[in-house]
Amino acid sequence: DVKVTQSSRYLVKRTGEKVFLECVQDMDHENMFWYRQDPGLGLRLIYFSYDVKMKEKGDIPEGYSVSREKKERFSLILESASTNQTSMYLCASSLMAGLSSYNSPLHFGNGTRLTVT
Amino acid sequence: QQQVKQSPQSLIVQKGGISIINCAYENTAFDYFPWYQQFPGKGPALLIAIRPDVSEKKEGRFTISFNKSAKQFSLHIMDSQPGDSATYFCAASINGGSYIPTFGRGTSLIVHP
């Protein structure tokens, strides 16, 4: 069974702090994603990566960066946290691109609820 | 611009009733339509999915109905149970192309005992 583990369940940070959200998957998946979930707005893609050291912007990349130094680990970085980044952050992984979508659903972690004060 | 529009945003159903969640899409290139279920405190998980070459797919009490000409698909939960209370997301993607699903905004379902 695929397991996507997010290092923190809850996180409270101050405005202006640099914040690291960590995600690890154990199924050798090529693709990894960071989403933000807000009530009424659903799941919005921040960044994704289809290979080590590769990254692509999603729909809302402003204020965020990512790092993927190892295949199993994908980090989301808030360079200078702001109150409007208070949200639930979800990491996900899936099998490599090019395969049938039918065989590569997204597997999500349980989320990190970040509060910026 | 929402490529996948989901409704309603919230839904309250009595135990034993039918829950219906609707989604509409605009991109005719979409050819894979999964539904994800998210329980409180958990991440979303794939519930059921359909390809456009069939009009209906059923798994237990969960059924996807698909109308290609109308560019609409819906999730029906028969005999809804309190344990079905969750947030449901529809999604659409292009098989073999972009592997990133486009999600609807979600429906919060509450099933009262």
Side-chain angles (χ1 to χ4, degrees):
Chain A
D1 216 16
V2 177
K3 192 168 184 183
V4 178
T5 302
Q6 294 184 231
S7 56
S8 301
R9 188 78 182 94
Y10 298 95
L11 214 51
V12 179
K13 296 292 181 181
R14 293 194 180 275
T15 301
E17 277 193 81
K18 189 169 186 176
V19 181
F20 293 86
L21 302 183
E22 306 288 344
C23 175
V24 176
Q25 50 95 2
D26 67 357
M27 281 301 290
D28 202 34
H29 284 174
E30 270 75 13
N31 305 324
M32 295 191 75
F33 309 81
W34 275 105
Y35 285 89
R36 171 175 172 162
Q37 182 175 11
D38 299 287
L41 297 179
L43 303 170
R44 293 184 291 168
L45 182 63
I46 305 172
Y47 267 96
F48 65 98
S49 167
Y50 52 88
D51 201 353
V52 175
K53 297 192 185 294
M54 304 301 289
K55 60 184 179 183
E56 296 285 344
K57 292 180 179 179
D59 299 319
I60 53 164
E62 296 78 19
Y64 304 94
S65 63
V66 290
S67 173
R68 193 168 181 199
E69 296 296 319
K70 294 185 177 181
K71 189 176 184 180
E72 68 272 17
R73 187 178 297 270
F74 193 35
S75 302
L76 179 69
I77 303 159
L78 287 66
E79 294 289 341
S80 178
S82 63
T83 54
N84 62 14
Q85 293 179 309
T86 292
S87 185
M88 171 68 80
Y89 290 89
L90 290 163
C91 175
S93 70
S94 70
L95 285 170
M96 60 185 284
L99 284 182
S100 167
S101 296
Y102 315 145
N103 297 320
S104 57
L106 266 62
H107 297 265
F108 285 87
N110 287 331
T112 295
R113 183 163 293 283
L114 172 67
T115 301
V116 183
T117 61
Chain B
Q1 183 184 1
Q2 264 185 280
Q3 289 202 56
V4 179
K5 294 184 179 180
Q6 183 172 347
S7 63
Q9 187 172 345
S10 62
L11 182 61
I12 299 174
V13 173
Q14 292 297 318
K15 179 182 175 181
I18 302 174
S19 303
I20 302 174
I21 304 171
N22 300 300
C23 286
Y25 63 96
E26 298 181 6
N27 187 348
T28 54
F30 287 144
D31 60 358
Y32 176 61
F33 303 91
W35 285 85
Y36 285 79
Q37 179 188 52
Q38 182 182 29
F39 292 110
K42 301 291 187 182
L46 180 68
L47 176 65
I48 187 173
I50 195 168
R51 311 178 196 192
D53 53 345
V54 297
S55 60
E56 186 175 283
K57 183 173 182 180
K58 186 175 181 179
E59 289 185 3
R61 295 182 294 106
F62 299 89
T63 300
I64 301 178
S65 297
F66 183 77
N67 185 330
K68 189 173 182 178
S69 61
K71 293 186 287 184
Q72 294 175 348
F73 57 110
S74 59
L75 176 69
H76 295 238
I77 306 174
M78 311 300 289
D79 187 26
S80 299
Q81 299 297 311
D84 298 330
S85 297
T87 300
Y88 294 81
F89 294 95
C90 64
S93 65
I94 301 171
N95 183 37
S98 167
Y99 47 86
I100 303 169
T102 298
F103 285 95
R105 292 190 174 182
T107 297
S108 175
L109 170 66
I110 296 174
V111 181
H112 282 312

